[in-house]
Amino acid sequence: GVNHQDRPAFDILSDILGYGRTARLYKSLVKEKKLAANIWASGGFPGRKYPSLFIFSVNPSQGHSNLECEEVISAEIERLKTEPVTLRELEKARTRARAGVIHSLSSNMGMAFQLTFFEVLTGDWRNLFARLERYNRVTAEDIQRIVRDYFTIENRTLGVIETEETDS
């Protein structure tokens, strides 16, 4: 949930794995292996107030399967358990987090939304700004710990949507 001590590490991990064209999974699945058309990774599904799910969503490229993509994602998760993320990856994710907060406050509507969101979900609007400090304290070891603790086979649920080929 939003107030859990591991929430900042999950947010940073989401960024490193699945946000933008420089994310680990985008580079691997889309750019290099061309197995997928897109990839998305995010903590906090379906919401952030209460404990929720960390999800990976991938659309395989034509001629490739969900299983191929799942194998690459699983391999990356296993790699994170033994190899820490780089300082550069951490800094990039922190910078994006700060920029996101600044951007979200650039309009009256954005400011009203963010302050209300944090007041309602965390109990204090000031947590919007405390969140940035919590992001700055996330370490590579924190990322490894949450991946080891939470990303286990026992915690995994896999949902696959596949289309059937038609005769047309």
Side-chain angles (χ1 to χ4, degrees), residues 11-27:
D11 289 345
I12 296 295
L13 178 62
S14 295
D15 187 280
I16 291 169
L17 285 178
Y19 185 81
R21 294 178 179 272
T22 61
R24 283 184 174 199
L25 290 173
Y26 186 90
K27 286 193 293 190

Side-chain angles (χ1 to χ4, degrees), residues 1-65:
V2 72
N3 289 319
H4 192 276
Q5 66 186 18
D6 290 333
R7 173 90 260 149
F10 278 111
D11 289 345
I12 296 295
L13 178 62
S14 295
D15 187 280
I16 291 169
L17 285 178
Y19 185 81
R21 294 178 179 272
T22 61
R24 283 184 174 199
L25 290 173
Y26 186 90
K27 286 193 293 190
S28 178
L29 285 164
V30 178
K31 283 183 178 178
E32 295 166 7
K33 294 179 173 73
K34 302 192 185 321
L35 295 175
N38 60 49
I39 175 71
W40 177 62
S42 179
F45 181 82
R48 290 182 172 246
K49 183 167 181 140
Y50 302 107
S52 54
L53 304 173
F54 191 101
I55 64 169
F56 298 92
S57 177
V58 62
N59 293 68
S61 296
Q62 188 170 5
H64 295 284
S65 70

